[in-house]
Amino acid sequence: MSRYLFTPYRLGGLDLANRMVMAPMTRARTDQPGNVPNALMAEYYAQRAGAGLIVTEATQISAGAQGYSFTPGVHTPEQIAGWRGVTDAVHAAGGRIFLQLWHVGRVSHPVFHGGGQPVAPSAIQPRDTQVWVADEDGVGRMLDCPTPRALSVAEIADIVADFRQAARNAIDAGFDGVEIHGANGYLIDQFLRSTSNQRTDQYSGSTDNRLRFLREVVEAVTAEIGAERTGLRLAPYITFKDMADPGIIDTILAAADWLSGRIGYLHLSEADWTDAPQVPDTFRIALRQRFPGTLIVAGRYDVLRAEAILETGWADLVAFGRPFVANPDLPARLRHGWPLAELDPATLFGGGATGYTSYPNAPETHP
C-alpha cells in the first residue's frame, strides 16, 4: 500500500490531489502555421488530468526561441487563445497545469531563424547534437545543430523580457503557473556551464557570473506572476547536447541556495535511459539542505522508487514522463497495480491522434 504517492499535497496556493506530476514531454502536435495549440492538445492533456500536477511540453517564449518543428509558443494572441482551450479542458477535468517556458539557445537550426544562426552565450557548436525538423509534408528528420552566434548583452536583456512576458501570457491563458526550463542543454543551462559559456563579460567566469542569467530570468518571472506560481527545472547530471562540465554540481548547488524562498518549486531532471549516471545520495542531501522548499524529481521512477524517495524527504513530488504517454490514467493504474501499456516511439513527435490521444484507459476503469 502506498503511503505517500497518492496523498494530497499543498503546492503554494494549489491543492494537488496526489504527488504524481506529469513531466514535460515534447509531442509536436500544434496547428500550422503559427505553432498554435489546438483542440487535440486540449484532449490529450485533459485525458491526463488525474496527475496531481501537469507540466506541459516545453513552449517557446518567442519566435527566436524555437529549435524543433511544431512545438508550441506562447507569444502570439493565437497561441494564447489555443492554450486557453487546453487549460479550460484540464481544469474542467479537475486537473492542475503549469506551462513550461523555454528558449533553446544553440540547440536549434537556421530553418527556424530565417536562415540565420541560432543564438547562445558563446559561439560554440554543440557536438553530436541534432534537432527534429519537419518538411512541408510533415515528415520529420534529425539535422545537426550549426555553430551559433554569441548574444550581445542587450539581446540577453531582451530574452529576459521575453521570459517575463511569456509568464504573463501563460497566466492570461489560464495556467496555474509556469516552469522555467533551465535543464537539458537549452539556453539557461548553456549559461550555467563553462563548456558552453566562454564569454568575457559578467555572464561568464565565476559561478556567480554564470548564475546571473538564471537569476535575472527568475527575478523577472516572479516579479510578474509571483514566486508561488513559478517553478524551475535543472539537470546537473545530464550531459548530452555536449554539456559535460566538471563544475556544474557546485554551480547547481549554489543556484539552489539562491533559489530558496524565491520560487515555488525546484524540479530535478534526472537521466532516464538504462545506463544513465545515478544521482548520488550526497547530492540529494546537499540539495535538500540548500533548498527546503518543494522538490520534484523525474527519471525512470516507478511506484517503489517514488515511495522510497518521498519517504526519505529528498523529494516532495515525483514526475513521470513516458509512462504518461501510453497510460492517460497512469495514477489509477499505479494505485491499483494494473498493467501499463507500452508507448509507440514512432508516434512521439508529430502526427495526429494516433499515438497521442488514442491510448485507452485501463479496462478496469470501465466497470
Side-chain angles (χ1 to χ4, degrees), residues 79-367:
Q79 292 165 351
I80 296 168
W83 277 124
R84 169 60 75 171
V86 173
T87 61
D88 284 349
V90 169
H91 289 148
R96 305 291 195 180
I97 185 167
F98 273 40
L99 180 70
Q100 191 186 64
L101 303 177
W102 74 342
H103 190 302
V104 299
R106 68 180 187 173
V107 185
S108 188
H109 190 274
V111 71
F112 301 115
H113 306 281
Q117 293 170 282
V119 296
S122 303
I124 301 172
Q125 182 181 17
R127 297 168 297 178
D128 302 319
T129 302
Q130 298 180 314
V131 292
W132 187 79
V133 178
D135 296 324
E136 291 184 2
D137 60 4
V139 176
R141 55 201 170 111
M142 302 301 291
L143 299 179
D144 290 334
C145 298
T147 301
R149 174 179 64 80
L151 288 160
S152 69
V153 172
E155 288 174 317
I156 293 172
D158 289 340
I159 291 174
V160 172
D162 288 339
F163 270 103
R164 177 194 289 268
Q165 185 60 54
R168 171 48 51 194
N169 294 347
I171 299 303
D172 291 346
F175 283 96
D176 298 300
V178 304
E179 178 178 287
I180 301 166
H181 198 343
N184 297 2
Y186 299 114
L187 185 61
I188 291 175
D189 204 16
Q190 291 160 28
F191 271 96
L192 293 175
R193 303 188 189 231
S194 60
T195 46
S196 55
N197 177 14
Q198 297 177 6
R199 300 175 65 93
T200 58
D201 58 18
Q202 64 268 38
Y203 288 94
S204 68
S206 68
T207 295
D208 189 63
N209 283 350
R210 281 185 277 117
L211 286 173
R212 179 169 178 167
F213 181 63
L214 170 64
R215 291 198 304 261
E216 290 179 352
V217 170
V218 169
E219 288 171 343
V221 169
T222 56
E224 185 66 35
I225 67 170
E228 284 193 344
R229 296 197 287 189
T230 304
L232 172 69
R233 199 176 210 212
L234 296 173
Y237 288 92
I238 292 180
T239 59
F240 55 58
K241 301 187 182 77
D242 197 22
M243 294 297 286
D245 177 3
I248 190 59
I249 301 305
D250 289 341
T251 302
I252 293 295
L253 290 176
D257 196 35
W258 181 83
L259 290 162
S260 180
R262 288 184 166 94
I263 57 174
Y265 70 77
L266 185 59
H267 187 173
L268 180 64
S269 176
E270 304 174 25
D272 62 355
W273 51 93
T274 303
D275 59 348
Q278 298 297 309
V279 177
D281 291 350
T282 52
F283 174 80
R284 296 190 190 278
I285 293 168
L287 183 65
R288 176 52 91 189
Q289 289 172 342
R290 288 162 174 78
F291 191 86
T294 298
L295 275 173
I296 304 174
V297 294
R300 293 182 64 85
Y301 281 89
D302 55 20
V303 171
L304 292 178
R305 288 191 66 221
E307 285 292 327
I309 197 165
L310 291 173
E311 185 171 9
T312 63
W314 295 344
D316 303 289
L317 304 169
V318 179
F320 297 80
R322 289 179 178 85
F324 258 119
V325 171
N327 300 275
D329 58 341
L330 182 64
R333 291 188 188 230
L334 294 185
R335 179 190 289 269
H336 298 290
W338 295 334
L340 298 185
E342 295 293 327
L343 65 86
D344 176 7
T347 60
L348 279 175
F349 306 119
T354 301
Y356 190 58
T357 57
S358 62
Y359 292 108
N361 288 340
E364 291 87 344
T365 63
H366 297 285

